[in-house]
Amino acid sequence: MTGGLKDGETEEKFLHSPFIRKQGNIYKPNNKDMDNESLNEKTMEDIHTKEIDLVNRDPKHINDDVVKVDFEDVIAEPAGTYSFDGVWKASFTTFTVTKYWCYRLLTALVGIPLALIWGIFFAILSFLHIWAVVPCVKSYLIEIHCISRVFSICVHTFCDPLYEAMGKCLSSIRIRMTKEV
């Protein structure tokens, strides 16, 4: 009888082809090679959902030399020309608090729209680099390689014999220099 189970065979053997059982489903792999790809996908998800550090907000130190401006960097009184201590303390407090709250207000008002704009900008930049610049450069390198081969053949075919002949003709010329006193 065709299609029936033989002795010792299970029904599971007929449900899946040998290729699928050996390699695994592409959505749920059960072999180690394909399982590593699912780990890479999970790592990619973790990049976008990782927690941000609220204490150290410049971990790569990109603004170390740019925006560290304190009261002492802007306002300083040389020896002998001091203002009243109260005025100095009030000036320090006013400068520090104003800088702090203006920055916070500006980031609250403009930070999210600018983050959106910069996100779009860098997404477009990445897209152009991946889908336009690199393929154009690779295409150029492939084409220039062909052109350089043709140019090299032309130089070796036409210029080498000419220069070799000129070299042989001019090789018998001897120059002797003497210094007369």
Side-chain angles (χ1 to χ4, degrees):
M1 169 165 100
T2 59
L5 293 175
K6 296 179 183 173
D7 292 336
E9 291 182 335
T10 62
E11 190 172 331
E12 192 266 329
K13 187 172 186 177
F14 291 102
L15 292 177
H16 304 288
S17 70
F19 179 75
I20 292 176
R21 279 192 288 127
K22 182 179 176 190
Q23 295 296 326
N25 187 332
I26 61 171
Y27 300 107
K28 293 184 180 180
N30 57 6
N31 71 358
K32 293 191 187 284
D33 292 334
M34 294 181 85
D35 199 30
N36 288 339
E37 292 175 12
S38 66
L39 290 175
N40 291 340
E41 290 174 10
K42 184 175 181 174
T43 304
M44 183 64 86
E45 288 176 0
D46 291 340
I47 291 172
H48 299 295
T49 60
K50 69 178 183 179
E51 283 195 33
I52 58 172
D53 188 1
L54 294 176
V55 176
N56 182 13
R57 296 186 183 189
D58 189 8
K60 296 183 180 178
H61 305 288
I62 60 174
N63 289 317
D64 278 353
D65 57 341
V66 180
V67 290
K68 283 188 174 179
V69 179
D70 290 327
F71 180 74
E72 298 85 13
D73 298 327
V74 178
I75 300 171
E77 294 180 331
T81 54
Y82 289 158
S83 61
F84 295 111
D85 290 345
V87 172
W88 186 253
K89 287 179 184 177
S91 298
F92 172 80
T93 304
T94 303
F95 177 89
T96 306
V97 169
T98 303
K99 185 181 94 165
Y100 177 76
W101 281 105
C102 278
Y103 178 79
R104 292 192 96 178
L105 257 165
L106 285 170
T107 55
L109 294 174
V110 186
I112 293 175
L114 280 177
L116 177 69
I117 290 168
W118 285 117
I120 291 170
F121 173 78
F122 282 108
I124 291 169
L125 188 66
S126 298
F127 173 81
L128 288 174
H129 184 76
I130 291 167
W131 291 98
V133 173
V134 171
C136 284
V137 168
K138 292 289 186 182
S139 172
Y140 173 76
L141 291 174
I142 290 169
E143 293 301 321
I144 202 71
H145 181 71
C146 293
I147 293 169
S148 72
R149 298 274 313 250
V150 171
F151 181 75
S152 175
I153 291 169
C154 289
V155 166
H156 290 303
T157 304
F158 299 111
C159 296
D160 285 357
L162 176 69
Y163 291 131
E164 284 178 23
M166 288 177 59
K168 287 181 181 178
C169 290
L170 300 175
S171 67
S172 61
I173 297 175
R174 304 278 181 228
I175 298 176
R176 188 177 352 153
M177 294 177 48
T178 59
K179 187 174 182 182
E180 293 183 26
V181 182

mmCIF file of all heavy atoms in Angstrom, residues 2 105 145:
data_model
loop_
_atom_site.group_PDB
_atom_site.id
_atom_site.type_symbol
_atom_site.label_atom_id
_atom_site.label_comp_id
_atom_site.label_asym_id
_atom_site.label_seq_id
_atom_site.Cartn_x
_atom_site.Cartn_y
_atom_site.Cartn_z
ATOM 1 N N THR A 2 0.623 2.180 -0.882
ATOM 2 C CA THR A 2 1.458 3.372 -0.966
ATOM 3 C C THR A 2 1.004 4.394 0.047
ATOM 4 O O THR A 2 -0.178 4.545 0.332
ATOM 5 C CB THR A 2 1.372 3.988 -2.373
ATOM 6 O OG1 THR A 2 0.023 4.313 -2.631
ATOM 7 C CG2 THR A 2 1.931 3.046 -3.416
ATOM 8 N N LEU A 105 15.960 74.753 29.410
ATOM 9 C CA LEU A 105 14.807 75.241 28.663
ATOM 10 C C LEU A 105 15.002 75.058 27.152
ATOM 11 O O LEU A 105 14.083 74.619 26.452
ATOM 12 C CB LEU A 105 14.588 76.734 28.956
ATOM 13 C CG LEU A 105 13.457 77.047 29.923
ATOM 14 C CD1 LEU A 105 13.563 78.469 30.412
ATOM 15 C CD2 LEU A 105 12.126 76.814 29.261
ATOM 16 N N HIS A 145 40.087 49.818 -13.120
ATOM 17 C CA HIS A 145 41.001 48.682 -13.250
ATOM 18 C C HIS A 145 41.069 48.231 -14.707
ATOM 19 O O HIS A 145 42.152 47.969 -15.229
ATOM 20 C CB HIS A 145 40.558 47.538 -12.341
ATOM 21 C CG HIS A 145 41.464 46.355 -12.400
ATOM 22 N ND1 HIS A 145 42.722 46.362 -11.871
ATOM 23 C CD2 HIS A 145 41.287 45.124 -12.950
ATOM 24 C CE1 HIS A 145 43.302 45.190 -12.093
ATOM 25 N NE2 HIS A 145 42.439 44.420 -12.751
#
